[in-house]
Amino acid sequence: MAKTFERGMDIPHYKEQTEHLPVQELPQPTELIIPLKQHIGAPNRRLVSVGERVKAGQKIGDSDAAISAPVHTGLSGTVREIGSRITMTGQLEDCVVIDVDPEQEPASYTADDVSQLSTEEIRRRIREAGIVGMGGAGFPTHVKVNPPTTIDYLILNGCECEPFLTCDHRLMLEEAEEMIAGARILSKVLGGAKVIFGIEENKMDAIEVIKKKLAKEPGMEVVPLKVKYPQGAEKQLIYAATGRVVPLGKLPAEVNVVVQNVATVKAVWDAVKYRRPLTERIVTLTGPGAVQPGNYRVVIGTPLSHLLNCTGGIRSDVVRIVMGGPMTGFAQTTLDAPLVKGCGGVLALTSDLVRSSPEYLACVRCGKCVDHCPMGLYPNYIGMYGELGRYNLAKEWGALDCFECGICAYVCPSHRPIVDFVRHVKRA
Ligand code: SF4
Ligand code: SF4
């Protein structure tokens, strides 16, 4: 029987629209809007000025802080503006806006023999390339692969448990060799950690492809996982794949495990083998309102409007555009936000998939949120104290252990926006 974790729930997948569609290149945009901070950690300072010419692959923002990751431009052009722009979370962030050259001279990268590189050099290249968790977390990868403890397992997260998204699925099918090569590099950096590919069973083709490629690969295996949300959350994945429990408030290294998203590991290969910075990613455009749903390779900083313009726009009955997945993503109020390192999807949703009224009712103490919370929290209390502004009480009930999977809000019959309350508590 496929392995899994406690609680959580089976929710509709909605992946059939794009799961069989190969990755296509999106035409280059005329401008890039590149947020200077696309990671968890200290903000970057800009390294370019208005009017400056920039080359494809050039670093445009960086920081001296230990927990940070630089940003680069994927296309050449001229810096038009540096200032606050709206991003996918709805927050204003400092962005470098670049007028893209219509004719591009592609950046050239030479291949190195990775077997000759020291672990310090590998970590340095990962940092220099600006690699962060591409599953949405945005934690700098060079920090994650320099843990304070020995590591027994490196788990590659190929669950993609959010409905609709298929970008990681396609990557596992189309770029499996590079991903496995990236896993080899990270295993070496982590002292020879055993590698586990955790993949949900609704991606049997990816499971088969990777199993075949690992047949002669010692120390690597595929662990098929039950299809359940949020199977791809770090602590839930670790439990399902290894049986180890990460204590509340602690990180995976506490139980000698590191988890990396599969797209991140592919980016590690590019960074270490070719010194290629993270300037592009696969994004799934989907939902019943998308005219040309598909999996598109986009340059980081591409405006959402460009993605939609190049794919026939959206149907007239779309009532909501979401960046990210439907459970953890963000509804957009404009089409101006850029696609960033941690954004794997754009959803064009029609009214049948969207709760129409923003109003919510009082908690009726049904307990459904408690039954399904994968962290074993009491979302009802966290939500109530968050709503009342009693932040310390919300914290005592575990608000900081909530990773915003959205199940509590999904099951709540009173439509209480518990994740919004949690985010409010965390900001406070
Ligand atoms: S409280 Fe947090 S972790 Fe628990 S179900 Fe709600 S969003 Fe998910
Ligand atoms: S699911 Fe909603 S109504 Fe039920 S206990 Fe949780 S917050 Fe209250």
Side-chain angles (χ1 to χ4, degrees):
M1 206 168 102
K3 296 181 173 182
T4 192
F5 62 99
E6 290 173 15
R7 296 177 291 274
M9 67 187 298
D10 192 11
I11 56 179
H13 309 166
Y14 298 116
K15 291 180 187 279
E16 57 286 347
Q17 228 179 335
T18 55
E19 64 190 338
H20 300 299
L21 299 178
V23 176
Q24 304 173 57
E25 304 286 330
L26 191 77
Q28 76 174 47
T30 55
E31 67 167 5
L32 290 177
I33 304 166
I34 306 175
L36 281 166
K37 185 170 185 284
Q38 298 182 43
H39 59 271
I40 291 176
N44 287 327
R45 66 184 182 285
R46 64 186 169 89
L47 302 177
V48 290
S49 309
V50 172
E52 190 173 329
R53 297 274 309 147
V54 289
K55 290 183 183 164
Q58 183 177 331
K59 187 162 39 164
I60 59 170
D62 202 354
S63 162
D64 296 327
I67 301 184
S68 64
V71 290
H72 306 73
T73 172
L75 296 169
S76 68
T78 305
V79 177
R80 185 175 81 227
E81 183 190 328
I82 299 172
S84 290
R85 289 292 192 102
I86 196 152
T87 56
M88 67 179 263
T89 61
Q91 310 277 321
L92 291 171
E93 295 277 359
D94 282 344
C95 294
V96 175
V97 183
I98 296 169
D99 284 328
V100 170
D101 293 337
E103 299 297 326
Q104 289 285 317
E105 193 178 322
S108 67
Y109 300 106
T110 49
D112 287 340
D113 179 359
V114 295
S115 68
Q116 299 302 311
L117 303 176
S118 66
T119 53
E120 288 69 30
E121 175 60 12
I122 291 172
R123 284 196 195 104
R124 198 190 66 75
R125 289 188 182 196
I126 293 171
R127 191 208 174 275
E128 274 306 294
I131 314 286
V132 301
M134 294 171 73
F139 195 79
T141 302
H142 68 97
V143 181
K144 221 172 170 184
V145 297
N146 194 10
T149 56
T150 56
I151 295 299
D152 301 331
Y153 293 105
L154 165 65
I155 301 180
L156 298 201
N157 190 348
C159 292
E160 202 163 50
C161 59
E162 281 242 13
F164 288 104
L165 303 188
T166 57
C167 51
D168 287 350
H169 185 176
R170 292 312 310 179
L171 179 120
M172 288 189 283
L173 289 174
E174 297 178 37
E175 297 178 77
E177 296 279 358
E178 293 89 339
M179 189 185 59
I180 291 167
R184 250 183 247 125
I185 290 171
L186 289 185
S187 170
K188 174 181 165 180
V189 171
L190 294 168
K194 189 167 188 278
V195 176
I196 295 175
F197 287 79
I199 307 174
E200 282 191 343
E201 282 190 321
N202 58 355
K203 303 169 195 64
M204 284 312 294
D205 49 358
I207 289 175
E208 292 310 321
V209 164
I210 295 172
K211 265 189 179 168
K212 218 176 202 174
K213 290 191 186 293
L214 295 186
K216 291 191 184 138
E217 195 81 43
M220 294 197 190
E221 66 168 320
V222 177
V223 173
L225 300 168
K226 188 173 173 188
V227 182
K228 193 167 78 166
Y229 186 79
Q231 184 64 81
E234 226 171 40
K235 292 180 179 178
Q236 285 61 35
L237 176 55
I238 291 169
Y239 179 78
T242 68
R244 297 185 183 186
V245 177
V246 182
L248 285 177
K250 300 290 181 187
L251 296 170
E254 186 79 15
V255 294
N256 311 101
V257 177
V258 164
V259 178
Q260 293 286 353
N261 166 268
V262 287
T264 310
V265 179
K266 156 65 171 59
V268 164
W269 168 250
D270 290 340
V272 177
K273 177 78 177 170
Y274 304 101
R275 299 183 199 232
R276 184 184 288 150
L278 176 52
T279 59
E280 62 179 34
R281 67 156 301 141
I282 306 170
V283 172
T284 305
L285 169 64
T286 183
V291 174
Q292 285 173 32
N295 298 292
Y296 295 95
R297 193 181 308 282
V298 303
V299 179
I300 304 295
T302 296
L304 170 58
S305 54
H306 178 74
L307 170 67
L308 298 176
N309 288 340
C310 291
T311 54
I314 51 174
R315 274 180 19 190
S316 58
D317 54 346
V318 167
V319 297
R320 187 170 294 172
I321 304 270
V322 173
M323 289 179 82
M327 300 297 282
T328 61
F330 299 87
Q332 300 300 298
T333 50
T334 75
L335 301 181
D336 298 334
L339 296 155
V340 292
K341 296 176 185 178
C343 178
V346 172
L347 316 181
L349 302 177
T350 45
S351 58
D352 49 323
L353 289 167
V354 174
R355 195 173 279 164
S356 55
S357 165
E359 291 184 3
Y360 59 90
L361 303 170
C363 170
V364 294
R365 301 187 180 202
C366 67
K368 284 185 178 173
C369 56
V370 181
D371 289 345
H372 291 287
C373 174
M375 291 300 289
L377 301 174
Y378 287 81
N380 48 342
Y381 288 124
I382 296 172
M384 179 179 74
Y385 289 126
E387 185 181 18
L388 294 172
R390 309 281 300 271
Y391 303 129
N392 281 334
L393 279 171
K395 191 174 158 192
E396 278 177 29
W397 280 95
L400 301 188
D401 289 306
C402 163
F403 60 93
E404 303 173 20
C405 71
I407 282 196
C408 49
Y410 181 82
V411 296
C412 178
S414 296
H415 298 175
R416 294 179 61 72
I418 300 172
V419 180
D420 292 345
F421 294 142
V422 168
R423 287 178 178 156
H424 195 52
V425 171
K426 286 181 179 175
R427 272 200 294 274

